[in-house]
Amino acid sequence: MNKPKVIVTRQWPCEVEAQLKQLYDVQLNESDVPLSTDALKHALQTADAVLTTVTDIITADVLNAPNKRAKIIGQFGVGYNNIDIQAAKGQGLTVTNTPHVLTDCTADIAMLLLLMSARRASEGERLILNQQWTGWTPTQLLGQKVTGKTLGLIGFGRIAQAMAKKAHHGFDMKILFYVPSTPDQHIVDDLQATRCDSVEDLLAHSDFVSLHCPAGVTTKHLINEARLKLMRPTAHLINTARGDVVDSDALIHALKTGEIAGAGLDVYEGEPQLNPEFLTLNNIALLPHLGSATEETRTAMGNRVLVNIAAFFAGHEPNDKVV
Ligand code: 8YV
């Protein structure tokens, strides 16, 4: 029997690519240049499985390409807001993602940004890199203490809970959370966490606010001008979820005017383009979407895609089926 044809849109960890080569008639992307819209359509027309990432914008137009051969899109990532899921469903395509394996690393990045923002790490590093540091002073770059403070989590899924665990058990932080669903009471009890009735309530009572909700119509600009005004002037906003969840213009204004003390961002509206005003701010820590970027996790994500497509080709429902 012929091996299924698989197209991988970006370069993946070599260990995973080696397995793909063994198992499938695979087309890898050695140049790592993202595929154009036409190339994505062509991939769906010529392969049995197309393996995508956050940088592939799979719109209804792409998914409606005629004469498709593909039956499955294996997304390398837990988030899949780059794919029009309803259109994929309408086309009878299966879509899978890679939950669980990136939980800890993404929570680590959120904690890193929290610490960087609180302790003004980016500002300090710039001082050294620009050769402007003239020595220790008693009042230089005073930030805010993290231990014992209150962390408010918007969204309370796996990544938020992993961050809460590190923050509560490691930094003695008090945990607040807002989520529309009902989380496991054992987890809430272990974290001695308090549920807030509204986003507004959480914002008003947190020293650090970390975003962990999926991107979508209901969460677009969830953090807007009015909500930023509810945050404490000493508070910091951390975003490792998706850029669209925050209105960047409103955030820039809040950081400039001292409505909030700082922000730590790993994701951006329209990334990799950044609102140029972000670059003019001192009270911000900026990372280039590094949430899951460890060797272990990226390899585990690739392996998770392999398990999903293997199940699909064997006629089973993949564990991580989104639609
Ligand atoms: C991924 C992420 O690396 O999994 C996610 O949702 O945000 C990232 O950590 C990226 O999305 C790859 O597709």
Side-chain angles (χ1 to χ4, degrees), residues 211-237:
L211 305 175
H212 299 282
C213 49
V217 262
T218 54
T219 56
K220 184 164 167 77
H221 289 185
L222 181 96
I223 301 297
N224 56 21
E225 192 187 333
R227 287 192 166 137
L228 283 161
K229 283 192 200 308
L230 298 174
M231 289 177 68
R232 298 171 170 174
T234 49
H236 296 251
L237 180 72

mmCIF file with all atom_site columns, all heavy atoms in Angstrom, residues 211-237:
data_model
loop_
_atom_site.group_PDB
_atom_site.id
_atom_site.type_symbol
_atom_site.label_atom_id
_atom_site.label_alt_id
_atom_site.label_comp_id
_atom_site.label_asym_id
_atom_site.label_entity_id
_atom_site.label_seq_id
_atom_site.pdbx_PDB_ins_code
_atom_site.Cartn_x
_atom_site.Cartn_y
_atom_site.Cartn_z
_atom_site.occupancy
_atom_site.B_iso_or_equiv
_atom_site.pdbx_formal_charge
_atom_site.auth_seq_id
_atom_site.auth_comp_id
_atom_site.auth_asym_id
_atom_site.auth_atom_id
_atom_site.pdbx_PDB_model_num
ATOM 1   N N   . LEU A 1 211 ? -3.183  36.319 31.171 1.00 0.00 ? 211 LEU A N   1
ATOM 2   C CA  . LEU A 1 211 ? -4.263  35.926 30.255 1.00 0.00 ? 211 LEU A CA  1
ATOM 3   C C   . LEU A 1 211 ? -4.058  34.501 29.736 1.00 0.00 ? 211 LEU A C   1
ATOM 4   O O   . LEU A 1 211 ? -2.973  34.175 29.237 1.00 0.00 ? 211 LEU A O   1
ATOM 5   C CB  . LEU A 1 211 ? -4.314  36.897 29.076 1.00 0.00 ? 211 LEU A CB  1
ATOM 6   C CG  . LEU A 1 211 ? -4.460  38.361 29.474 1.00 0.00 ? 211 LEU A CG  1
ATOM 7   C CD1 . LEU A 1 211 ? -4.388  39.267 28.247 1.00 0.00 ? 211 LEU A CD1 1
ATOM 8   C CD2 . LEU A 1 211 ? -5.779  38.578 30.222 1.00 0.00 ? 211 LEU A CD2 1
ATOM 9   N N   . HIS A 1 212 ? -5.094  33.694 29.856 1.00 0.00 ? 212 HIS A N   1
ATOM 10  C CA  . HIS A 1 212 ? -5.011  32.283 29.447 1.00 0.00 ? 212 HIS A CA  1
ATOM 11  C C   . HIS A 1 212 ? -6.284  31.806 28.778 1.00 0.00 ? 212 HIS A C   1
ATOM 12  O O   . HIS A 1 212 ? -6.648  30.637 28.909 1.00 0.00 ? 212 HIS A O   1
ATOM 13  C CB  . HIS A 1 212 ? -4.681  31.414 30.667 1.00 0.00 ? 212 HIS A CB  1
ATOM 14  C CG  . HIS A 1 212 ? -3.371  31.766 31.269 1.00 0.00 ? 212 HIS A CG  1
ATOM 15  N ND1 . HIS A 1 212 ? -2.169  31.372 30.734 1.00 0.00 ? 212 HIS A ND1 1
ATOM 16  C CD2 . HIS A 1 212 ? -3.067  32.558 32.312 1.00 0.00 ? 212 HIS A CD2 1
ATOM 17  C CE1 . HIS A 1 212 ? -1.182  31.885 31.442 1.00 0.00 ? 212 HIS A CE1 1
ATOM 18  N NE2 . HIS A 1 212 ? -1.692  32.614 32.408 1.00 0.00 ? 212 HIS A NE2 1
ATOM 19  N N   . CYS A 1 213 ? -6.956  32.718 28.081 1.00 0.00 ? 213 CYS A N   1
ATOM 20  C CA  . CYS A 1 213 ? -8.187  32.318 27.388 1.00 0.00 ? 213 CYS A CA  1
ATOM 21  C C   . CYS A 1 213 ? -7.856  32.120 25.902 1.00 0.00 ? 213 CYS A C   1
ATOM 22  O O   . CYS A 1 213 ? -6.886  32.685 25.406 1.00 0.00 ? 213 CYS A O   1
ATOM 23  C CB  . CYS A 1 213 ? -9.258  33.391 27.559 1.00 0.00 ? 213 CYS A CB  1
ATOM 24  S SG  . CYS A 1 213 ? -8.639  35.027 27.183 1.00 0.00 ? 213 CYS A SG  1
ATOM 25  N N   . PRO A 1 214 ? -8.655  31.317 25.204 1.00 0.00 ? 214 PRO A N   1
ATOM 26  C CA  . PRO A 1 214 ? -8.390  31.169 23.770 1.00 0.00 ? 214 PRO A CA  1
ATOM 27  C C   . PRO A 1 214 ? -8.766  32.437 23.013 1.00 0.00 ? 214 PRO A C   1
ATOM 28  O O   . PRO A 1 214 ? -9.579  33.231 23.500 1.00 0.00 ? 214 PRO A O   1
ATOM 29  C CB  . PRO A 1 214 ? -9.305  30.012 23.355 1.00 0.00 ? 214 PRO A CB  1
ATOM 30  C CG  . PRO A 1 214 ? -10.269 29.814 24.455 1.00 0.00 ? 214 PRO A CG  1
ATOM 31  C CD  . PRO A 1 214 ? -9.797  30.531 25.673 1.00 0.00 ? 214 PRO A CD  1
ATOM 32  N N   . ALA A 1 215 ? -8.192  32.616 21.829 1.00 0.00 ? 215 ALA A N   1
ATOM 33  C CA  . ALA A 1 215 ? -8.577  33.757 20.991 1.00 0.00 ? 215 ALA A CA  1
ATOM 34  C C   . ALA A 1 215 ? -9.837  33.403 20.227 1.00 0.00 ? 215 ALA A C   1
ATOM 35  O O   . ALA A 1 215 ? -10.056 32.249 19.885 1.00 0.00 ? 215 ALA A O   1
ATOM 36  C CB  . ALA A 1 215 ? -7.454  34.069 20.019 1.00 0.00 ? 215 ALA A CB  1
ATOM 37  N N   . GLY A 1 216 ? -10.662 34.399 19.979 1.00 0.00 ? 216 GLY A N   1
ATOM 38  C CA  . GLY A 1 216 ? -11.890 34.152 19.233 1.00 0.00 ? 216 GLY A CA  1
ATOM 39  C C   . GLY A 1 216 ? -12.757 35.387 19.306 1.00 0.00 ? 216 GLY A C   1
ATOM 40  O O   . GLY A 1 216 ? -12.362 36.381 19.923 1.00 0.00 ? 216 GLY A O   1
ATOM 41  N N   . VAL A 1 217 ? -13.939 35.331 18.711 1.00 0.00 ? 217 VAL A N   1
ATOM 42  C CA  . VAL A 1 217 ? -14.794 36.515 18.686 1.00 0.00 ? 217 VAL A CA  1
ATOM 43  C C   . VAL A 1 217 ? -15.139 37.010 20.089 1.00 0.00 ? 217 VAL A C   1
ATOM 44  O O   . VAL A 1 217 ? -15.184 38.215 20.339 1.00 0.00 ? 217 VAL A O   1
ATOM 45  C CB  . VAL A 1 217 ? -16.126 36.297 17.896 1.00 0.00 ? 217 VAL A CB  1
ATOM 46  C CG1 . VAL A 1 217 ? -16.021 36.838 16.499 1.00 0.00 ? 217 VAL A CG1 1
ATOM 47  C CG2 . VAL A 1 217 ? -16.557 34.847 17.890 1.00 0.00 ? 217 VAL A CG2 1
ATOM 48  N N   . THR A 1 218 ? -15.351 36.089 21.007 1.00 0.00 ? 218 THR A N   1
ATOM 49  C CA  . THR A 1 218 ? -15.790 36.523 22.345 1.00 0.00 ? 218 THR A CA  1
ATOM 50  C C   . THR A 1 218 ? -14.652 37.084 23.182 1.00 0.00 ? 218 THR A C   1
ATOM 51  O O   . THR A 1 218 ? -14.898 37.785 24.158 1.00 0.00 ? 218 THR A O   1
ATOM 52  C CB  . THR A 1 218 ? -16.456 35.367 23.127 1.00 0.00 ? 218 THR A CB  1
ATOM 53  O OG1 . THR A 1 218 ? -15.530 34.288 23.137 1.00 0.00 ? 218 THR A OG1 1
ATOM 54  C CG2 . THR A 1 218 ? -17.770 34.949 22.518 1.00 0.00 ? 218 THR A CG2 1
ATOM 55  N N   . THR A 1 219 ? -13.416 36.777 22.827 1.00 0.00 ? 219 THR A N   1
ATOM 56  C CA  . THR A 1 219 ? -12.292 37.270 23.646 1.00 0.00 ? 219 THR A CA  1
ATOM 57  C C   . THR A 1 219 ? -11.466 38.342 22.929 1.00 0.00 ? 219 THR A C   1
ATOM 58  O O   . THR A 1 219 ? -10.474 38.817 23.481 1.00 0.00 ? 219 THR A O   1
ATOM 59  C CB  . THR A 1 219 ? -11.360 36.111 24.066 1.00 0.00 ? 219 THR A CB  1
ATOM 60  O OG1 . THR A 1 219 ? -10.915 35.433 22.897 1.00 0.00 ? 219 THR A OG1 1
ATOM 61  C CG2 . THR A 1 219 ? -12.060 35.147 25.011 1.00 0.00 ? 219 THR A CG2 1
ATOM 62  N N   . LYS A 1 220 ? -11.869 38.730 21.720 1.00 0.00 ? 220 LYS A N   1
ATOM 63  C CA  . LYS A 1 220 ? -11.112 39.784 21.021 1.00 0.00 ? 220 LYS A CA  1
ATOM 64  C C   . LYS A 1 220 ? -11.200 41.082 21.829 1.00 0.00 ? 220 LYS A C   1
ATOM 65  O O   . LYS A 1 220 ? -12.276 41.514 22.225 1.00 0.00 ? 220 LYS A O   1
ATOM 66  C CB  . LYS A 1 220 ? -11.680 39.987 19.606 1.00 0.00 ? 220 LYS A CB  1
ATOM 67  C CG  . LYS A 1 220 ? -10.844 40.993 18.832 1.00 0.00 ? 220 LYS A CG  1
ATOM 68  C CD  . LYS A 1 220 ? -11.117 40.946 17.347 1.00 0.00 ? 220 LYS A CD  1
ATOM 69  C CE  . LYS A 1 220 ? -10.529 42.146 16.648 1.00 0.00 ? 220 LYS A CE  1
ATOM 70  N NZ  . LYS A 1 220 ? -9.116  42.123 16.419 1.00 0.00 ? 220 LYS A NZ  1
ATOM 71  N N   . HIS A 1 221 ? -10.057 41.667 22.113 1.00 0.00 ? 221 HIS A N   1
ATOM 72  C CA  . HIS A 1 221 ? -9.954  42.904 22.902 1.00 0.00 ? 221 HIS A CA  1
ATOM 73  C C   . HIS A 1 221 ? -10.701 42.797 24.234 1.00 0.00 ? 221 HIS A C   1
ATOM 74  O O   . HIS A 1 221 ? -11.308 43.756 24.692 1.00 0.00 ? 221 HIS A O   1
ATOM 75  C CB  . HIS A 1 221 ? -10.428 44.111 22.097 1.00 0.00 ? 221 HIS A CB  1
ATOM 76  C CG  . HIS A 1 221 ? -9.469  44.466 20.995 1.00 0.00 ? 221 HIS A CG  1
ATOM 77  N ND1 . HIS A 1 221 ? -9.615  45.563 20.194 1.00 0.00 ? 221 HIS A ND1 1
ATOM 78  C CD2 . HIS A 1 221 ? -8.334  43.861 20.565 1.00 0.00 ? 221 HIS A CD2 1
ATOM 79  C CE1 . HIS A 1 221 ? -8.619  45.624 19.321 1.00 0.00 ? 221 HIS A CE1 1
ATOM 80  N NE2 . HIS A 1 221 ? -7.829  44.588 19.527 1.00 0.00 ? 221 HIS A NE2 1
ATOM 81  N N   . LEU A 1 222 ? -10.622 41.611 24.813 1.00 0.00 ? 222 LEU A N   1
ATOM 82  C CA  . LEU A 1 222 ? -11.194 41.403 26.158 1.00 0.00 ? 222 LEU A CA  1
ATOM 83  C C   . LEU A 1 222 ? -10.577 42.414 27.130 1.00 0.00 ? 222 LEU A C   1
ATOM 84  O O   . LEU A 1 222 ? -11.231 42.960 28.009 1.00 0.00 ? 222 LEU A O   1
ATOM 85  C CB  . LEU A 1 222 ? -10.870 39.984 26.617 1.00 0.00 ? 222 LEU A CB  1
ATOM 86  C CG  . LEU A 1 222 ? -11.389 39.555 27.964 1.00 0.00 ? 222 LEU A CG  1
ATOM 87  C CD1 . LEU A 1 222 ? -12.709 38.799 27.777 1.00 0.00 ? 222 LEU A CD1 1
ATOM 88  C CD2 . LEU A 1 222 ? -10.406 38.662 28.688 1.00 0.00 ? 222 LEU A CD2 1
ATOM 89  N N   . ILE A 1 223 ? -9.271  42.653 26.949 1.00 0.00 ? 223 ILE A N   1
ATOM 90  C CA  . ILE A 1 223 ? -8.612  43.690 27.738 1.00 0.00 ? 223 ILE A CA  1
ATOM 91  C C   . ILE A 1 223 ? -8.602  44.958 26.881 1.00 0.00 ? 223 ILE A C   1
ATOM 92  O O   . ILE A 1 223 ? -7.854  45.051 25.901 1.00 0.00 ? 223 ILE A O   1
ATOM 93  C CB  . ILE A 1 223 ? -7.184  43.259 28.149 1.00 0.00 ? 223 ILE A CB  1
ATOM 94  C CG1 . ILE A 1 223 ? -7.242  41.968 28.979 1.00 0.00 ? 223 ILE A CG1 1
ATOM 95  C CG2 . ILE A 1 223 ? -6.467  44.370 28.905 1.00 0.00 ? 223 ILE A CG2 1
ATOM 96  C CD1 . ILE A 1 223 ? -7.985  42.062 30.302 1.00 0.00 ? 223 ILE A CD1 1
ATOM 97  N N   . ASN A 1 224 ? -9.462  45.878 27.251 1.00 0.00 ? 224 ASN A N   1
ATOM 98  C CA  . ASN A 1 224 ? -9.636  47.112 26.487 1.00 0.00 ? 224 ASN A CA  1
ATOM 99  C C   . ASN A 1 224 ? -9.402  48.318 27.407 1.00 0.00 ? 224 ASN A C   1
ATOM 100 O O   . ASN A 1 224 ? -9.026  48.164 28.575 1.00 0.00 ? 224 ASN A O   1
ATOM 101 C CB  . ASN A 1 224 ? -11.035 47.145 25.853 1.00 0.00 ? 224 ASN A CB  1
ATOM 102 C CG  . ASN A 1 224 ? -12.112 46.977 26.918 1.00 0.00 ? 224 ASN A CG  1
ATOM 103 O OD1 . ASN A 1 224 ? -11.882 47.219 28.106 1.00 0.00 ? 224 ASN A OD1 1
ATOM 104 N ND2 . ASN A 1 224 ? -13.293 46.571 26.506 1.00 0.00 ? 224 ASN A ND2 1
ATOM 105 N N   . GLU A 1 225 ? -9.640  49.504 26.866 1.00 0.00 ? 225 GLU A N   1
ATOM 106 C CA  . GLU A 1 225 ? -9.379  50.734 27.611 1.00 0.00 ? 225 GLU A CA  1
ATOM 107 C C   . GLU A 1 225 ? -10.115 50.753 28.962 1.00 0.00 ? 225 GLU A C   1
ATOM 108 O O   . GLU A 1 225 ? -9.509  51.025 30.005 1.00 0.00 ? 225 GLU A O   1
ATOM 109 C CB  . GLU A 1 225 ? -9.835  51.913 26.742 1.00 0.00 ? 225 GLU A CB  1
ATOM 110 C CG  . GLU A 1 225 ? -9.372  53.245 27.249 1.00 0.00 ? 225 GLU A CG  1
ATOM 111 C CD  . GLU A 1 225 ? -9.986  54.392 26.443 1.00 0.00 ? 225 GLU A CD  1
ATOM 112 O OE1 . GLU A 1 225 ? -10.323 54.195 25.248 1.00 0.00 ? 225 GLU A OE1 1
ATOM 113 O OE2 . GLU A 1 225 ? -10.141 55.478 27.031 1.00 0.00 ? 225 GLU A OE2 1
ATOM 114 N N   . ALA A 1 226 ? -11.394 50.435 28.927 1.00 0.00 ? 226 ALA A N   1
ATOM 115 C CA  . ALA A 1 226 ? -12.197 50.512 30.160 1.00 0.00 ? 226 ALA A CA  1
ATOM 116 C C   . ALA A 1 226 ? -11.682 49.522 31.198 1.00 0.00 ? 226 ALA A C   1
ATOM 117 O O   . ALA A 1 226 ? -11.596 49.834 32.390 1.00 0.00 ? 226 ALA A O   1
ATOM 118 C CB  . ALA A 1 226 ? -13.659 50.221 29.829 1.00 0.00 ? 226 ALA A CB  1
ATOM 119 N N   . ARG A 1 227 ? -11.321 48.327 30.755 1.00 0.00 ? 227 ARG A N   1
ATOM 120 C CA  . ARG A 1 227 ? -10.877 47.307 31.716 1.00 0.00 ? 227 ARG A CA  1
ATOM 121 C C   . ARG A 1 227 ? -9.476  47.619 32.251 1.00 0.00 ? 227 ARG A C   1
ATOM 122 O O   . ARG A 1 227 ? -9.179  47.339 33.414 1.00 0.00 ? 227 ARG A O   1
ATOM 123 C CB  . ARG A 1 227 ? -10.956 45.927 31.083 1.00 0.00 ? 227 ARG A CB  1
ATOM 124 C CG  . ARG A 1 227 ? -12.412 45.476 30.965 1.00 0.00 ? 227 ARG A CG  1
ATOM 125 C CD  . ARG A 1 227 ? -12.510 44.023 30.612 1.00 0.00 ? 227 ARG A CD  1
ATOM 126 N NE  . ARG A 1 227 ? -13.857 43.523 30.832 1.00 0.00 ? 227 ARG A NE  1
ATOM 127 C CZ  . ARG A 1 227 ? -14.496 42.719 30.002 1.00 0.00 ? 227 ARG A CZ  1
ATOM 128 N NH1 . ARG A 1 227 ? -13.907 42.320 28.887 1.00 0.00 ? 227 ARG A NH1 1
ATOM 129 N NH2 . ARG A 1 227 ? -15.713 42.290 30.281 1.00 0.00 ? 227 ARG A NH2 1
ATOM 130 N N   . LEU A 1 228 ? -8.624  48.199 31.396 1.00 0.00 ? 228 LEU A N   1
ATOM 131 C CA  . LEU A 1 228 ? -7.277  48.557 31.883 1.00 0.00 ? 228 LEU A CA  1
ATOM 132 C C   . LEU A 1 228 ? -7.378  49.598 32.995 1.00 0.00 ? 228 LEU A C   1
ATOM 133 O O   . LEU A 1 228 ? -6.583  49.596 33.939 1.00 0.00 ? 228 LEU A O   1
ATOM 134 C CB  . LEU A 1 228 ? -6.418  49.074 30.728 1.00 0.00 ? 228 LEU A CB  1
ATOM 135 C CG  . LEU A 1 228 ? -5.886  47.964 29.801 1.00 0.00 ? 228 LEU A CG  1
ATOM 136 C CD1 . LEU A 1 228 ? -5.465  48.539 28.456 1.00 0.00 ? 228 LEU A CD1 1
ATOM 137 C CD2 . LEU A 1 228 ? -4.728  47.213 30.456 1.00 0.00 ? 228 LEU A CD2 1
ATOM 138 N N   . LYS A 1 229 ? -8.378  50.458 32.893 1.00 0.00 ? 229 LYS A N   1
ATOM 139 C CA  . LYS A 1 229 ? -8.569  51.496 33.916 1.00 0.00 ? 229 LYS A CA  1
ATOM 140 C C   . LYS A 1 229 ? -8.938  50.892 35.274 1.00 0.00 ? 229 LYS A C   1
ATOM 141 O O   . LYS A 1 229 ? -8.751  51.528 36.306 1.00 0.00 ? 229 LYS A O   1
ATOM 142 C CB  . LYS A 1 229 ? -9.675  52.471 33.477 1.00 0.00 ? 229 LYS A CB  1
ATOM 143 C CG  . LYS A 1 229 ? -9.229  53.476 32.423 1.00 0.00 ? 229 LYS A CG  1
ATOM 144 C CD  . LYS A 1 229 ? -10.272 54.569 32.271 1.00 0.00 ? 229 LYS A CD  1
ATOM 145 C CE  . LYS A 1 229 ? -10.160 55.316 30.960 1.00 0.00 ? 229 LYS A CE  1
ATOM 146 N NZ  . LYS A 1 229 ? -8.840  55.844 30.629 1.00 0.00 ? 229 LYS A NZ  1
ATOM 147 N N   . LEU A 1 230 ? -9.471  49.674 35.255 1.00 0.00 ? 230 LEU A N   1
ATOM 148 C CA  . LEU A 1 230 ? -9.855  49.029 36.518 1.00 0.00 ? 230 LEU A CA  1
ATOM 149 C C   . LEU A 1 230 ? -8.657  48.419 37.243 1.00 0.00 ? 230 LEU A C   1
ATOM 150 O O   . LEU A 1 230 ? -8.724  48.084 38.416 1.00 0.00 ? 230 LEU A O   1
ATOM 151 C CB  . LEU A 1 230 ? -10.877 47.911 36.253 1.00 0.00 ? 230 LEU A CB  1
ATOM 152 C CG  . LEU A 1 230 ? -12.191 48.340 35.634 1.00 0.00 ? 230 LEU A CG  1
ATOM 153 C CD1 . LEU A 1 230 ? -13.044 47.125 35.299 1.00 0.00 ? 230 LEU A CD1 1
ATOM 154 C CD2 . LEU A 1 230 ? -12.942 49.264 36.600 1.00 0.00 ? 230 LEU A CD2 1
ATOM 155 N N   . MET A 1 231 ? -7.550  48.259 36.509 1.00 0.00 ? 231 MET A N   1
ATOM 156 C CA  . MET A 1 231 ? -6.368  47.634 37.136 1.00 0.00 ? 231 MET A CA  1
ATOM 157 C C   . MET A 1 231 ? -5.677  48.626 38.069 1.00 0.00 ? 231 MET A C   1
ATOM 158 O O   . MET A 1 231 ? -5.817  49.837 37.923 1.00 0.00 ? 231 MET A O   1
ATOM 159 C CB  . MET A 1 231 ? -5.393  47.144 36.047 1.00 0.00 ? 231 MET A CB  1
ATOM 160 C CG  . MET A 1 231 ? -5.911  45.926 35.287 1.00 0.00 ? 231 MET A CG  1
ATOM 161 S SD  . MET A 1 231 ? -4.818  45.397 33.938 1.00 0.00 ? 231 MET A SD  1
ATOM 162 C CE  . MET A 1 231 ? -3.391  44.789 34.835 1.00 0.00 ? 231 MET A CE  1
ATOM 163 N N   . ARG A 1 232 ? -4.929  48.079 39.012 1.00 0.00 ? 232 ARG A N   1
ATOM 164 C CA  . ARG A 1 232 ? -4.218  48.942 39.957 1.00 0.00 ? 232 ARG A CA  1
ATOM 165 C C   . ARG A 1 232 ? -3.044  49.623 39.241 1.00 0.00 ? 232 ARG A C   1
ATOM 166 O O   . ARG A 1 232 ? -2.431  49.018 38.351 1.00 0.00 ? 232 ARG A O   1
ATOM 167 C CB  . ARG A 1 232 ? -3.664  48.089 41.095 1.00 0.00 ? 232 ARG A CB  1
ATOM 168 C CG  . ARG A 1 232 ? -4.746  47.404 41.885 1.00 0.00 ? 232 ARG A CG  1
ATOM 169 C CD  . ARG A 1 232 ? -4.170  46.409 42.870 1.00 0.00 ? 232 ARG A CD  1
ATOM 170 N NE  . ARG A 1 232 ? -5.224  45.945 43.761 1.00 0.00 ? 232 ARG A NE  1
ATOM 171 C CZ  . ARG A 1 232 ? -5.074  44.980 44.654 1.00 0.00 ? 232 ARG A CZ  1
ATOM 172 N NH1 . ARG A 1 232 ? -3.908  44.354 44.790 1.00 0.00 ? 232 ARG A NH1 1
ATOM 173 N NH2 . ARG A 1 232 ? -6.073  44.637 45.428 1.00 0.00 ? 232 ARG A NH2 1
ATOM 174 N N   . PRO A 1 233 ? -2.675  50.839 39.655 1.00 0.00 ? 233 PRO A N   1
ATOM 175 C CA  . PRO A 1 233 ? -1.532  51.513 39.003 1.00 0.00 ? 233 PRO A CA  1
ATOM 176 C C   . PRO A 1 233 ? -0.213  50.770 39.231 1.00 0.00 ? 233 PRO A C   1
ATOM 177 O O   . PRO A 1 233 ? 0.752   50.986 38.504 1.00 0.00 ? 233 PRO A O   1
ATOM 178 C CB  . PRO A 1 233 ? -1.513  52.904 39.647 1.00 0.00 ? 233 PRO A CB  1
ATOM 179 C CG  . PRO A 1 233 ? -2.430  52.841 40.807 1.00 0.00 ? 233 PRO A CG  1
ATOM 180 C CD  . PRO A 1 233 ? -3.356  51.679 40.647 1.00 0.00 ? 233 PRO A CD  1
ATOM 181 N N   . THR A 1 234 ? -0.198  49.855 40.203 1.00 0.00 ? 234 THR A N   1
ATOM 182 C CA  . THR A 1 234 ? 1.011   49.061 40.467 1.00 0.00 ? 234 THR A CA  1
ATOM 183 C C   . THR A 1 234 ? 0.936   47.696 39.786 1.00 0.00 ? 234 THR A C   1
ATOM 184 O O   . THR A 1 234 ? 1.836   46.866 39.956 1.00 0.00 ? 234 THR A O   1
ATOM 185 C CB  . THR A 1 234 ? 1.145   48.828 41.984 1.00 0.00 ? 234 THR A CB  1
ATOM 186 O OG1 . THR A 1 234 ? -0.134  48.362 42.459 1.00 0.00 ? 234 THR A OG1 1
ATOM 187 C CG2 . THR A 1 234 ? 1.552   50.095 42.711 1.00 0.00 ? 234 THR A CG2 1
ATOM 188 N N   . ALA A 1 235 ? -0.133  47.451 39.030 1.00 0.00 ? 235 ALA A N   1
ATOM 189 C CA  . ALA A 1 235 ? -0.351  46.107 38.476 1.00 0.00 ? 235 ALA A CA  1
ATOM 190 C C   . ALA A 1 235 ? 0.371   45.892 37.140 1.00 0.00 ? 235 ALA A C   1
ATOM 191 O O   . ALA A 1 235 ? 0.723   46.848 36.440 1.00 0.00 ? 235 ALA A O   1
ATOM 192 C CB  . ALA A 1 235 ? -1.845  45.859 38.306 1.00 0.00 ? 235 ALA A CB  1
ATOM 193 N N   . HIS A 1 236 ? 0.560   44.615 36.826 1.00 0.00 ? 236 HIS A N   1
ATOM 194 C CA  . HIS A 1 236 ? 1.225   44.228 35.572 1.00 0.00 ? 236 HIS A CA  1
ATOM 195 C C   . HIS A 1 236 ? 0.323   43.269 34.796 1.00 0.00 ? 236 HIS A C   1
ATOM 196 O O   . HIS A 1 236 ? -0.320  42.408 35.393 1.00 0.00 ? 236 HIS A O   1
ATOM 197 C CB  . HIS A 1 236 ? 2.552   43.509 35.872 1.00 0.00 ? 236 HIS A CB  1
ATOM 198 C CG  . HIS A 1 236 ? 3.548   44.379 36.545 1.00 0.00 ? 236 HIS A CG  1
ATOM 199 N ND1 . HIS A 1 236 ? 4.677   44.839 35.917 1.00 0.00 ? 236 HIS A ND1 1
ATOM 200 C CD2 . HIS A 1 236 ? 3.574   44.881 37.798 1.00 0.00 ? 236 HIS A CD2 1
ATOM 201 C CE1 . HIS A 1 236 ? 5.375   45.586 36.757 1.00 0.00 ? 236 HIS A CE1 1
ATOM 202 N NE2 . HIS A 1 236 ? 4.727   45.630 37.914 1.00 0.00 ? 236 HIS A NE2 1
ATOM 203 N N   . LEU A 1 237 ? 0.339   43.408 33.474 1.00 0.00 ? 237 LEU A N   1
ATOM 204 C CA  . LEU A 1 237 ? -0.458  42.533 32.608 1.00 0.00 ? 237 LEU A CA  1
ATOM 205 C C   . LEU A 1 237 ? 0.477   41.589 31.853 1.00 0.00 ? 237 LEU A C   1
ATOM 206 O O   . LEU A 1 237 ? 1.445   42.037 31.229 1.00 0.00 ? 237 LEU A O   1
ATOM 207 C CB  . LEU A 1 237 ? -1.247  43.374 31.588 1.00 0.00 ? 237 LEU A CB  1
ATOM 208 C CG  . LEU A 1 237 ? -2.120  42.572 30.623 1.00 0.00 ? 237 LEU A CG  1
ATOM 209 C CD1 . LEU A 1 237 ? -3.339  41.997 31.344 1.00 0.00 ? 237 LEU A CD1 1
ATOM 210 C CD2 . LEU A 1 237 ? -2.579  43.438 29.451 1.00 0.00 ? 237 LEU A CD2 1
#
